[in-house]
């Protein structure tokens, strides 16, 4: 779900991750299926699976409605 480039490139463009709440059938009329879910924790887990660490997230959306960056990235060591 992200760009595939050389491992040394250091920059991977990705779609906006959505907080897990968007998959909750209790609050969403059409919750995301497991195959369509892409959350901050998914991003960090996928990076860890290939022995990489996400050092920084540059969010160009200028909103906090998709996820809480402080809670979901900064608390886990990602700037």
């Amino acid at each position: 779900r992200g760009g595939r480039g050389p491992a040394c490139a250091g920059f991977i463009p990705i779609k906006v991750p959505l907080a897990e709440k968007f998959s909750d059938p209790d609050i969403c009329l059409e919750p995301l299926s497991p195959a369509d879910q892409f959350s901050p924790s998914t991003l960090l887990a996928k990076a860890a699976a290939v022995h990489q660490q996400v050092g920084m997230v540059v969010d160009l959306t200028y909103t906090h409605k998709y996820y809480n960056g402080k809670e979901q990235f900064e608390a886990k060591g990602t700037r």
Side-chain angles (χ1 to χ4, degrees), residues 13 26-27 32 38 43-44 46 57 75:
D26 293 332
I27 63 172
L32 296 172
F38 184 68
L43 171 62
L44 297 174
K46 286 185 179 281
V57 173

Side-chain angles (χ1 to χ4, degrees), residues 13-34:
I14 60 167
K15 67 181 188 175
V16 175
L18 297 175
E20 284 83 2
K21 69 182 179 183
F22 290 98
S23 303
D24 186 346
D26 293 332
I27 63 172
C28 294
L29 293 175
E30 294 182 34
L32 296 172
S33 70

Side-chain angles (χ1 to χ4, degrees), residues 40 59 64 67-79:
D59 185 346
H64 296 290
Y67 64 90
N68 180 330
K70 286 199 181 288
E71 179 182 299
Q72 296 179 301
F73 283 118
E74 290 182 20
K76 295 178 175 86
T78 301
R79 298 187 333 199

